[in-house]
Amino acid sequence: MKPLLSVINLTKTFGGLKAFQDISLDAYPGKILTIIGPNGAGKTTLFNTLTGIYTPDSGEIYFEGERVDGLPTSAICCRGMARTFQNIRLFAEMTALENIQVAEFSRDVTGWHDLLLRTPRFLRSEKESIERAFHLLESVGIVNVANHLARNLPYGLQRKLEIARALATKPRMLLLDEPGAGMNPTELNDLIQIILKLREEGTGILLIEHHMKVVMQISDEVVVLDHGEELAKGIPSEISVNPQVISAYLGEALTHP
Amino acid sequence: MDCWVSGWRTRFEKTVKTRRSILALFGLFLIASPFLFSSLIPNPANGSVSLRLSCKAATEFFLTTGVITLVILLLGPVTIPPLKQFLQKTILCLKASLPSSIFEKVPEAEDWPRLKIKYTRILGVILILASLFFGCNASPETLSLVTRTGLHMILALGLNIAVGMAGLLVLGYAAFYQLGAYVMAVTANNYPWVPWWLLLLPTFVIGAIVGTLVGLPSLKLRGDYLAIVTLGFGEAFHELSRNLESVTHADQGLTIPAACGFQSISFHGETLLTQDQVAFFCVLLAVVVTVIIIQRIYDSRIGRAWVAVREDELAAGAMGVPVLKMKLLAFAISSGFACVAGVMYGALIGFVDPSLCTLENSSLYLTMIILGGLGSIPGALLGSSLLTIIPEELRNYFPQWGDYRLLIVGVVMVTMMLFRPQGMIGSSRIRRELEDES
């Protein structure tokens, strides 16, 4: 199978500070690739670089065989790579529905004459956009708050809305940055169901997560980052017994004399 | 369906009947009263203008249009059963014709915003009819004040696109106003056969291009850089117009031949519409067209993208919104409308000099939209009328108060920021949020 997203020797530094170095990974459609690592390991910076918020210092990023590093954020999104944010970044003063409609921007084909003259095409496109948005909200289970302002939603629903918003761009690759942070067990369970459903539909998923249970349960492959370098890579059962990983997370075991 | 209607009714009864209609009526009265009850009498002997209270015009106005407005606002939709049914039927018909079948999915669905649009439309039509009536009857002095208010409305609406919708703080907006006026004046002096209305569209394009050129280097940066760049542009443009003698005649200004401005319309030697009335109706038409255009853009994906960029630039980009392009677009359209207002200013006043483009004017336009409510179209209309008419009236009542005009503007700004930061009519989004909380 050809990888959907492939990263080759990617390096990013901020001045003298090395965010991550020589990272290579391949993500496949319908697979969940999880990135774990202690705080400050460079996981979120890697996401920001992949989605074009930062430009990498060296290395290459290929999406569906085409090179995407150096493209503006919106262009990368239009190619089919969407993301959520670690600290939720919804459009606070817009309703849940509008948040999702914004994400459909690049796929809307109505022109100026359509919107100024309110042509049937415009009305149809608006109607379809609202219907699609409702559908998406339904699929993540928050259709009942469609017309609430995003800022007034409870935390768990904001997380879900962010996923729904990312899905509205019709991504083939979804980057989830700690989607389970601060969720209670029920919400976490819902989240797992949503992610698994996406995997079934053939979306490639790149996940940053700290809940080890979730990681071990749903990942197809796990990459461990530590201090910006790849520490280990493999299937979850291998990673969970890898002594290097354990020491990175818990520190060295005391050796008795 | 029934559920939808009853849901609407409870909501309607709770919020609008009690509070909104009173507020709306009060606002209408507030806007209308100064120039309805008063008429200005110029005294040619010493060049002063005196004010006379006259109840005749006001009585006429309220008897014809005001009463209808009052009845519809206060009683109409809720307490008179046949009218209520009629309105409900109308709404249901509209609902069927509109892209709104999704309403059934969520019964509570707060299709309220959409209904509110309907009500705003009805109110808008009433206001337009009232203005038509007013235009035919008001004294020339009052008419000229209201026409200038109309120009300020276009300016406030245009500035509202950049500041209120897209969140770009523009501090030199008067420069674009003056640019439009100079384009008009220079054309009128060189090619007097060109009618003013033919200049509207080209000037809009010129304004949009200049806006893009000013915005391009600064919009890539974040935050307040644009404010500083536009502030500088405003001052630079002011100085340029004062020093570019060959084109602008510096401080002497440019006089526009009367033949190029608004013309009275006569038929068989009988004057149908005086020059003032023509100006009033043209500006009224321009305001209505501006409102419609901006409302339609705001309700489309472009408007949503603007708000998204205002709320969170980074997230908007990550969701596929071309951030820079959207900002430039907002800035360009905003500048374009200012230039259009400038052309009409030239046609109305017949004289352009560099005093139009001052920081004082730019901040006055900003105050208008902050007073009315950032991001809100009715707010921009209300803010611009209040801040044009009230200072003018104050100057008439108490001539020495004219010196304190700016002080009043400052007090208004501080008070608004402290007590009602969302403005008199906040944008629908913010207002809904406040309702949720209460």
Side-chain angles (χ1 to χ4, degrees):
Chain A
M1 195 170 14
K2 278 180 78 176
L4 194 57
L5 171 74
S6 87
V7 177
I8 301 164
N9 294 334
L10 204 65
T11 301
K12 174 75 193 170
T13 52
F14 295 107
L17 185 74
K18 198 173 65 196
F20 54 81
Q21 195 172 25
D22 281 337
I23 300 291
S24 298
L25 45 87
D26 290 319
Y28 296 89
K31 298 275 181 208
I32 299 175
L33 173 62
T34 309
I35 301 173
I36 61 170
N39 289 331
K43 304 184 295 290
T44 299
T45 314
L46 177 63
F47 263 33
N48 285 343
T49 314
L50 290 181
T51 49
I53 293 170
Y54 299 142
T55 25
D57 294 331
S58 66
E60 289 147 29
I61 306 168
Y62 291 93
F63 185 71
E64 294 182 322
E66 284 174 58
R67 195 161 172 177
V68 295
D69 51 293
L71 288 181
T73 324
S74 54
I76 290 179
C77 173
C78 296
R79 301 246 174 148
M81 191 149 73
R83 68 170 295 180
T84 65
F85 293 88
Q86 184 178 10
N87 44 345
I88 301 173
R89 301 189 80 132
L90 288 168
F91 307 123
E93 299 287 348
M94 301 176 97
T95 64
L97 193 73
E98 287 170 324
N99 262 279
I100 291 188
Q101 282 182 288
V102 167
E104 294 187 333
F105 182 88
S106 56
R107 288 190 289 115
D108 196 327
V109 289
T110 51
W112 280 101
H113 65 284
D114 286 322
L115 70 90
L116 286 181
L117 301 175
R118 290 259 155 100
T119 57
R121 186 156 87 137
F122 172 79
L123 293 176
R124 199 168 54 237
S125 134
E126 283 290 295
K127 183 187 165 186
E128 284 167 3
S129 143
I130 293 174
E131 278 171 352
R132 273 196 306 268
F134 265 111
H135 199 72
L136 262 174
L137 289 173
E138 224 161 17
S139 72
V140 296
I142 54 170
V143 74
N144 53 332
V145 294
N147 284 297
H148 289 227
L149 286 187
R151 64 160 1 144
N152 294 343
L153 295 182
Y155 186 80
L157 299 192
Q158 289 196 1
R159 283 268 177 226
K160 285 182 183 170
L161 177 57
E162 227 192 10
I163 297 177
R165 187 181 66 175
L167 290 177
T169 64
K170 286 252 160 69
R172 286 178 291 284
M173 181 86 216
L174 184 62
L175 281 66
L176 299 170
D177 196 346
E178 292 195 31
M183 280 190 168
N184 65 32
T186 331
E187 289 170 335
L188 214 53
N189 216 26
D190 288 351
L191 179 72
I192 293 176
Q193 296 312 318
I194 293 169
I195 296 178
L196 290 178
K197 202 170 98 190
L198 286 172
R199 177 170 71 171
E200 256 169 47
E201 287 163 5
T203 312
I205 290 169
L206 198 57
L207 178 73
I208 295 178
E209 189 49 77
H210 277 308
H211 288 91
M212 278 306 141
K213 267 190 189 166
V214 179
V215 173
M216 295 305 156
Q217 191 187 332
I218 64 172
S219 307
D220 292 304
E221 195 183 1
V222 179
V223 176
V224 188
L225 289 190
D226 187 28
H227 293 106
E229 283 172 27
E230 185 186 303
L231 195 69
K233 189 190 256 180
I235 58 170
S237 53
E238 282 171 14
I239 295 294
S240 61
V241 294
N242 187 321
Q244 276 181 303
V245 176
I246 294 171
S247 73
Y249 262 92
L250 302 175
E252 295 290 334
L254 283 174
T255 44
H256 294 283
Chain B
M1 194 74 87
D2 285 342
C3 177
W4 176 77
V5 171
S6 67
W8 162 71
R9 201 159 55 206
T10 23
R11 241 190 118 76
F12 183 84
E13 280 170 359
K14 255 199 303 203
T15 54
V16 160
K17 190 200 163 192
T18 49
R19 208 174 36 174
R20 279 290 148 61
S21 45
I22 297 170
L23 265 180
L25 195 71
F26 183 70
L28 189 74
F29 184 77
L30 204 71
I31 306 169
S33 54
F35 56 86
L36 284 176
F37 284 106
S38 57
S39 48
L40 307 177
I41 314 293
N43 185 349
N46 56 8
S48 70
V49 179
S50 65
L51 186 106
R52 201 177 58 190
L53 285 176
S54 97
C55 290
K56 194 167 154 273
T59 329
E60 258 177 26
F61 179 85
F62 277 108
L63 277 182
T64 49
T65 54
V67 172
I68 303 169
T69 319
L70 190 134
V71 166
I72 289 182
L73 275 176
L74 268 181
L75 313 163
V78 187
T79 50
I80 304 173
L83 194 56
K84 185 172 75 181
Q85 277 168 11
F86 170 74
L87 268 177
Q88 278 177 1
K89 271 184 193 157
T90 320
I91 288 161
L92 289 178
C93 292
L94 283 167
K95 184 173 160 274
S97 67
L98 273 165
S100 48
S101 62
I102 35 92
F103 288 163
E104 271 104 46
K105 270 192 179 167
V106 189
E108 234 281 285
E110 302 186 29
D111 12 80
W112 182 234
R114 209 173 271 282
L115 280 174
K116 209 151 56 185
I117 291 171
K118 299 281 162 288
Y119 271 90
T120 322
R121 277 189 192 157
I122 295 170
L123 196 67
V125 169
I126 292 171
L127 280 177
I128 291 169
L129 289 178
S131 323
L132 289 177
F133 180 82
F134 170 76
C136 296
N137 291 291
S139 68
E141 293 77 16
T142 320
L143 215 48
S144 118
L145 173 62
V146 180
T147 312
R148 269 180 290 134
T149 311
L151 290 181
H152 282 172
M153 280 178 172
I154 301 178
L155 283 172
L157 286 166
L159 185 60
N160 194 31
I161 297 177
V163 182
M165 297 178 183
L168 310 165
L169 187 54
V170 178
L171 285 180
Y173 197 59
F176 296 103
Y177 189 31
Q178 196 183 33
L179 175 68
Y182 269 120
V183 169
M184 156 81 194
V186 170
T187 319
N189 280 316
N190 293 321
Y191 312 97
W193 45 269
V194 179
W196 65 271
W197 48 266
L198 212 59
L199 288 170
L200 290 178
L201 203 58
T203 320
F204 185 93
V205 176
I206 292 173
I209 291 171
V210 174
T212 313
L213 291 179
V214 175
L216 201 56
S218 51
L219 283 171
K220 283 194 174 181
L221 302 165
R222 272 159 203 269
D224 303 329
Y225 294 100
L226 182 70
I228 297 165
V229 170
T230 50
L231 178 69
F233 172 72
E235 291 305 301
F237 196 81
H238 179 64
E239 289 305 318
L240 185 71
S241 56
R242 290 186 61 194
N243 289 291
L244 203 64
E245 285 232 36
S246 56
V247 183
T248 63
H249 291 198
D251 285 334
Q252 287 177 350
L254 283 170
T255 311
I256 295 163
C260 297
F262 294 108
Q263 300 292 321
S264 58
I265 295 175
S266 35
F267 185 71
H268 286 302
E270 198 178 328
T271 310
L272 286 180
L273 290 172
T274 65
Q275 196 181 344
D276 295 315
Q277 282 169 333
V278 172
F280 172 77
F281 287 127
C282 288
V283 172
L284 177 69
L285 184 68
V287 171
V288 172
V289 170
T290 309
V291 167
I292 291 175
I293 290 178
I294 294 177
Q295 182 70 53
R296 292 194 163 186
I297 298 176
Y298 192 44
D299 283 343
S300 74
R301 65 180 180 135
I302 310 276
R304 285 193 294 267
W306 282 340
V307 179
V309 168
R310 184 187 73 196
E311 292 294 315
D312 193 328
E313 222 176 293
L314 193 76
M319 291 303 126
V321 176
V323 174
L324 182 64
K325 209 173 128 193
M326 282 298 117
K327 281 174 157 186
L328 275 179
L329 189 66
F331 197 52
I333 294 180
S334 172
S335 319
F337 276 117
C339 280
V340 166
V343 171
M344 302 193 88
Y345 174 88
L348 177 71
I349 308 287
F351 176 74
V352 186
D353 72 346
S355 70
L356 204 57
C357 168
T358 54
L359 187 60
E360 183 194 322
N361 278 349
S362 293
S363 46
L364 178 69
Y365 307 141
L366 204 59
T367 318
M368 286 172 184
I369 57 173
I370 290 173
L371 176 69
L374 282 175
S376 147
I377 291 173
L381 296 176
L382 182 64
S384 49
S385 357
L386 289 180
L387 280 183
T388 317
I389 292 167
I390 291 178
E392 202 69 25
E393 292 296 320
L394 277 181
R395 189 159 32 198
N396 292 327
Y397 282 107
F398 315 99
Q400 71 277 22
W401 273 38
D403 304 338
Y404 300 105
R405 239 167 3 114
L406 283 180
L407 189 71
I408 297 168
V409 169
V411 169
V412 166
M413 283 286 265
V414 173
T415 321
M416 290 306 286
M417 282 295 134
L418 282 177
F419 297 106
R420 210 176 150 75
Q422 75 272 39
M424 294 177 75
I425 312 179
S427 82
S428 56
R429 292 197 171 84
I430 297 165
R431 207 166 28 179
R432 245 182 295 156
E433 174 203 2
L434 291 175
E435 270 171 18
D436 281 353
E437 278 168 10
S438 63

